[in-house]
Amino acid sequence: MLEKKVEKLMGNRFEISVIGPDENWCNDKIDLAINEIRRIEKLLTTFSNDSITFEINENAGIQPVKVPEEVFSLILRCQMISKITQGAFDISYGGIDKKFWNFDLEMKELPDPEAAKKSVELINYENIVLDETKKTVFLKKKGMRIGFGGIGKGYAAEMAKKILIQNGVESGIVNAAGDLTTWGHQENGEPWTIGIADPNLRTSTFSTFKITNTSVATSGNYEKFVMINNKKYSHTIDPKTGFPVSGIKSVTIIAENAEIADALATPVTVMGIEVGLDFINQLKNIGCVIIDDFDRKYYSNNIRLT
C-alpha cells in the first residue's frame, strides 16, 4: 500500500510517500525520514543561534570554525558546483542585503546599478577557505554569510531517501517543495509519473514523464517576482551584478541525485537560456527544461519526455 505524509520542514512543504505492507509500517518509516530532515535543518539553518552555519557566519573574517564531516563535505561539493558554474551558484550569497531586494508590491523601480553591485561585493565562493585536514571552514571577509537555500532541500531529500532505503523501503518519493527524488516503482509496477509544473498555473502541469531512481528540481520565478516597467524580475539574484534575473519563468533539472538537481536549477536561471542549455549539455546524465517569459520551452539534448 501507498502511504503519504505532508509536513512543514525547513520552511517548506515536504511530502513523503512510501510503499509498504501496511499503514503502521509505512508511517514508522516516514517518521524516521522526518526526523532525519529535522536533524539536517538544525545543522544548516541560518535562523538559529546554535546551528553550525550560524557559527561559521558569526566568525566571518575572525577565525576558522571546525565543522562536522557531513557539513564539510556538503560545502566542498558546493564549492565544486560554484567552480563549474563559474560562480552562478554560490553559497556565500547569504550576505546580500535583504532590504535592497524585497519582492513586495511596493517596489516600483530598480535600484542603482552601482549600489546593486556593491550589495553583492561579499558574494565570492573563492573567499570560503576549507581546510581538508582540520575540517574547518573560514569566511575570509567580515560580513560574509553562507546559506544553503540553493542546495539544502535537495540534500535533505537525498538523505531522507537514504534512511528510508536503509530501513527496507523499496519504493517511494521524497518531495521537498518541488525538489523530489524517487526510487522503486508504483504499486502497479509502473515507474512513478512526475509532472513539470506549469509556471502560469501552479496547480497544473504542462508535461509529465515517467521516472524511477531519478530526481527532479524546479526553480521558478512564479512565486516571488516584481513587475517594473512591464518587465518581470524574479527573486533569483545574479551574484555578479546584484540584479534579479529576467527572461526565464522556470528551470527544471532532471538528474540522478536531488542535491545536484536542486543545486543546478538556480545557476541555469542565472546563466540564461543559451548559456544554461550549453552548460547542461556538457554534463552527463543531466537534463533540463527551460520555460521563458513568453512560454516558449527549451530542452537540453538528452531530454526524453513522454
Side-chain angles (χ1 to χ4, degrees):
M1 67 173 297
L2 175 69
E3 198 58 42
K4 283 183 189 182
K5 196 168 187 181
V6 173
E7 193 86 21
K8 192 170 184 198
L9 300 156
M10 302 175 89
N12 287 283
R13 181 184 187 274
F14 272 72
E15 183 178 72
I16 300 166
S17 315
V18 306
I19 288 177
D22 60 63
E23 196 179 329
N24 287 346
W25 188 90
C26 290
N27 282 327
D28 285 350
K29 304 298 183 251
I30 290 173
D31 287 342
L32 293 174
I34 289 171
N35 290 337
E36 174 66 353
I37 297 163
R38 287 206 174 109
R39 181 188 72 77
I40 290 163
E41 180 172 16
K42 274 204 182 90
L43 217 50
L44 303 184
T45 181
T46 47
F47 298 111
S48 150
N49 297 3
D50 51 13
S51 80
I52 192 74
T53 312
F54 180 83
E55 202 183 322
I56 293 168
N57 291 338
E58 281 295 285
N59 284 284
I62 303 167
Q63 62 186 9
V65 173
K66 193 166 171 43
V67 301
E69 171 67 51
E70 174 182 10
V71 176
F72 190 86
S73 303
L74 179 62
I75 295 174
L76 198 58
R77 294 196 297 279
C78 289
Q79 292 292 73
M80 280 157 56
I81 295 164
S82 293
K83 278 197 182 75
I84 64 166
T85 61
Q86 293 173 340
F89 174 89
D90 194 324
I91 58 167
S92 66
Y93 74 87
I96 196 155
D97 194 343
K98 285 288 185 287
K99 60 181 184 285
F100 205 67
W101 284 112
N102 64 343
F103 287 86
D104 60 17
L105 305 173
E106 302 307 305
M107 246 184 104
K108 296 284 186 279
E109 52 185 50
L110 291 170
D112 166 62
E114 281 311 300
K117 218 166 163 52
K118 206 163 168 45
S119 80
V120 291
E121 269 175 5
L122 289 168
I123 302 177
N124 185 352
Y125 71 95
E126 289 178 334
N127 288 331
I128 302 172
V129 182
L130 302 179
D131 186 322
E132 191 82 66
T133 23
K134 293 181 181 161
K135 297 284 181 269
T136 59
V137 180
F138 177 52
L139 309 182
K140 272 190 190 171
K141 297 194 169 179
K142 245 186 155 31
M144 263 184 91
R145 289 172 63 79
I146 59 168
F148 295 95
I151 197 170
K153 293 202 310 275
Y155 175 63
E158 249 345 280
M159 294 298 280
K161 166 182 160 180
K162 192 175 165 186
I163 288 281
L164 290 167
I165 291 171
Q166 280 169 358
N167 284 278
V169 178
E170 288 173 14
S171 297
I173 300 180
V174 179
N175 184 346
D179 296 348
L180 59 89
T181 184
T182 66
W183 70 101
H185 295 82
Q186 297 183 59
E187 286 175 285
N188 61 8
E190 290 274 313
W192 298 100
T193 303
I194 301 299
I196 296 182
D198 181 331
N200 302 314
L201 302 157
R202 281 186 46 213
T203 46
S204 68
T205 58
F206 82 80
S207 179
T208 60
F209 49 104
K210 292 187 184 321
I211 58 171
T212 181
N213 305 326
T214 305
S215 303
V216 178
T218 298
S219 171
N221 72 1
Y222 43 87
E223 300 202 338
K224 276 194 211 149
F225 61 87
V226 290
M227 296 294 290
I228 294 170
N229 302 331
N230 294 327
K231 195 172 178 184
K232 196 176 191 177
Y233 291 90
S234 87
H235 71 285
T236 304
I237 305 282
D238 181 339
K240 290 188 178 67
T241 62
F243 262 67
V245 297
S246 61
I248 289 180
K249 267 186 190 169
S250 79
V251 170
T252 298
I253 302 283
I254 299 139
E256 288 169 4
N257 172 302
E259 181 189 306
I260 289 286
D262 188 7
L264 291 181
T266 305
V268 169
T269 310
V270 169
M271 289 171 178
I273 297 162
E274 211 172 309
V275 179
L277 282 178
D278 187 50
F279 166 69
I280 292 295
N281 284 333
Q282 292 172 52
L283 303 177
K284 257 199 177 125
N285 304 325
I286 292 178
C288 171
V289 181
I290 299 175
I291 303 177
D292 73 9
D293 280 348
F294 304 100
D295 293 326
R296 288 182 296 232
K297 298 170 185 70
Y298 304 81
Y299 302 94
S300 63
N301 294 342
N302 57 355
I303 278 283
R304 294 174 298 279
L305 288 179
T306 51

